[in-house]
Amino acid sequence: MTTHEFFNSLWKDYIQITPQAEAVRQLFMGKGEEVINDHVAFRTFSESPLNLDKLQAVVESLGYKASEQYRFEQKKLLAKSYRHTEDEDAPKLFISELQVHELSQPVQKILRNVIGQIPADIELDPSIFWRGRLWEMPSFAEYETLRNESEYAAWLTTIGIRVNHFTVSINKLKRYDDIEQVNALLKQSGFALNSVGGEVKGSPDLLLEQSSTLADKITLTFSDGKVASIPSCFYEFAKRYPSADGRIFQGFIEGNADKIFESTNAR
């Protein structure tokens, strides 16, 4: 599978549960812009057949190599970023992993039941990133237990292994090359932004500015018959700046990402 085919498949799956993303893309295209992706992000569980190491092998088969590692203490996450070894213009990848053993016993029990439903010999290829939930839907009470401790765990358990967000590269926009302009256009067009820590996360001094919409909602039926509307995915926007050597910064900032994660928090 080529990287072009990979991202096309991801996008098709993504907009099924994130219709705002296609609306945003059309908004920018209507302004004469070409929308180019900076990176995509995925979420997964530790201690599972889909842990970070297992998924890393899949992205390596697409020509990607691990670039940097990150730790989010409060959210109990490890993460790695990946860059393509041959194509500089290929979007970056960001995969985070929930550290199950660091959570409370009631939450661990729910998650281990979920993880136990994933076949140990599951076939891992690029399609794993749009297969969705590979386990039974939890009960609404279990969802609430997860959400009260870890919004990330609640999201992953209900949405599954799917792209969490795409990211528009502001650097590649011609007319809207400033993050404040991008945010203003989005708000004028009726899109709600993640305001945790301010609408703009980061700064030119940190070499990266990011903003994001709030996640769309999806209506799901839980195993106990409860029907509820919960967060699905969101759309992000990133502006990168050159470092002292003149090269555009290609990494991520933990303080920024920590707040971006909250785009899928239930509100």
Side-chain angles (χ1 to χ4, degrees), residues 73-258:
E73 294 287 347
Q74 187 175 3
K75 290 184 170 60
K76 315 298 185 189
L77 307 174
L78 285 179
K80 286 186 180 180
S81 60
Y82 301 83
R83 295 176 64 187
H84 203 277
T85 55
E86 297 179 4
D87 184 358
E88 289 186 348
D89 295 325
K92 291 167 281 294
L93 306 178
F94 187 91
I95 306 177
S96 55
E97 177 191 75
L98 181 63
Q99 303 302 290
V100 174
H101 62 283
E102 296 182 10
L103 299 165
S104 70
Q105 288 302 314
V107 167
Q108 285 189 44
K109 182 178 180 181
I110 295 169
L111 295 181
R112 291 208 164 96
N113 177 57
V114 165
I115 291 168
Q117 298 175 51
I118 306 170
D121 59 349
I122 188 169
E123 183 179 352
L124 293 177
D125 58 47
S127 71
I128 193 65
F129 291 109
W130 52 84
R131 288 189 213 168
R133 197 177 60 253
L134 302 171
W135 47 84
E136 294 180 0
M137 192 71 172
S139 69
F140 188 72
E142 289 174 324
Y143 172 77
E144 288 287 274
T145 297
L146 295 176
R147 190 177 68 81
N148 288 334
E149 183 169 332
S150 169
E151 294 267 7
Y152 183 110
W155 186 93
L156 180 54
T157 304
T158 50
I159 302 298
I161 308 297
R162 303 173 85 161
V163 64
N164 176 255
H165 64 269
F166 271 72
T167 307
V168 174
S169 172
I170 297 176
N171 296 69
K172 302 295 186 181
L173 299 177
K174 297 174 183 177
R175 189 173 159 196
Y176 295 90
D177 60 353
D178 175 271
I179 197 165
E180 297 287 2
Q181 291 178 315
V182 167
N183 289 351
L185 176 63
L186 292 166
K187 289 188 290 184
Q188 288 166 8
S189 303
F191 296 99
L193 299 185
N194 172 353
S195 61
V196 177
E199 290 179 352
V200 177
K201 287 76 166 129
S203 67
D205 287 344
L206 292 174
L207 307 182
L208 178 62
E209 292 177 311
Q210 294 165 274
S211 65
S212 61
T213 63
L214 292 178
D216 261 325
K217 292 292 185 72
I218 184 172
T219 300
L220 295 176
T221 302
F222 290 81
S223 63
D224 55 3
K226 170 77 172 179
V227 177
S229 180
I230 65 172
S232 58
C233 307
F234 60 94
Y235 213 175
E236 186 185 323
F237 311 86
K239 175 70 179 284
R240 297 180 177 275
Y241 292 87
S243 54
D245 63 6
R247 296 181 181 180
I248 297 294
F249 176 69
Q250 296 297 327
F252 295 87
I253 305 296
E254 290 174 355
N256 290 16
D258 189 68

